[in-house]
Amino acid sequence: MSGKPPFPPFTLETACQKARMAENAWNSKDPDKVSLAYTEDSVWRNRSEFIRGRAEILAFLQRKWAKELDYKLIKEVWAYSDNRIAVRFQYEWHDTAGQWFRAHGNENWEFAENGLMRRREASINDVAIAEGDRLFTWGDGPRPDDFPGLTELGL
């Protein structure tokens, strides 16, 4: 893949578009598709794990979605400038024992000129929740356009 619009420098509109595209891709839970949004030499910190390159990203995503079942994610732009975007996010998932979690996090993204992400710094905390406390209740796949975002959900 040679590039992925929108390209930097970002405006509020293109930063929000980039965040929603990332949210939709991650909600697909398709590691191959998601990994293509990152440069071949992309560098990540995800929690306490350090990942380098698309092959390691792909392996990470495969492990992630094998563990985090019925994963549903919402992202919201926090700030942006030039080739960087900061987002806050939350996602819900359950483990094989049926325990539900809501993960709360922040990501800092840096993009190459071709719109692929070359750096991702993610800080994430998981909180156990009861199944009845779930808020991300749409079906499988991307969040529908009329489903509320984090702010509208009071998160």
Side-chain angles (χ1 to χ4, degrees):
M1 177 180 290
S2 59
K4 188 165 190 72
F7 304 112
F10 296 111
T11 64
L12 177 58
E13 180 183 359
T14 59
C16 290
Q17 181 182 4
K18 201 70 151 173
R20 186 60 186 249
M21 290 170 62
E23 174 187 315
N24 290 346
W26 281 63
N27 278 327
S28 76
K29 300 176 287 282
D30 180 340
D32 294 307
K33 174 183 176 181
V34 173
S35 70
L36 293 177
Y38 304 93
T39 61
E40 288 285 345
D41 61 349
S42 188
V43 175
W44 284 20
R45 181 189 56 78
N46 192 86
R47 301 177 192 249
S48 61
E49 190 170 352
F50 295 85
I51 300 163
R52 184 172 293 276
R54 197 177 287 160
E56 288 184 20
I57 291 169
L58 182 60
F60 166 82
L61 294 170
Q62 290 167 337
R63 287 191 316 274
K64 174 182 182 61
W65 290 317
K67 174 188 172 192
E68 296 177 355
L69 307 176
D70 291 321
Y71 173 97
K72 290 185 175 48
L73 165 73
I74 299 177
K75 290 183 183 287
E76 187 173 278
V77 171
W78 190 256
Y80 68 93
S81 73
D82 299 322
N83 68 335
R84 294 181 174 166
I85 301 173
V87 298
R88 71 184 191 102
F89 64 89
Q90 293 185 31
Y91 63 88
E92 293 178 349
W93 61 280
H94 67 85
D95 62 18
T96 57
Q99 174 61 59
W100 282 91
F101 297 88
R102 184 171 299 126
H104 302 257
N106 299 288
E107 291 176 315
N108 296 315
W109 300 339
E110 182 179 84
F111 292 86
E113 297 75 25
N114 65 359
L116 297 179
M117 194 182 301
R118 68 175 164 214
R119 184 169 197 87
R120 176 181 172 266
E121 299 279 339
S123 297
I124 308 166
N125 301 91
D126 294 313
V127 176
I129 61 172
E131 185 172 2
D133 292 333
R134 293 178 51 227
L135 297 174
F136 303 175
T137 55
W138 67 89
D140 204 26
R143 175 172 54 105
D145 289 338
D146 62 350
F147 196 95
L150 295 176
T151 299
E152 293 81 16
L153 288 169
L155 298 173

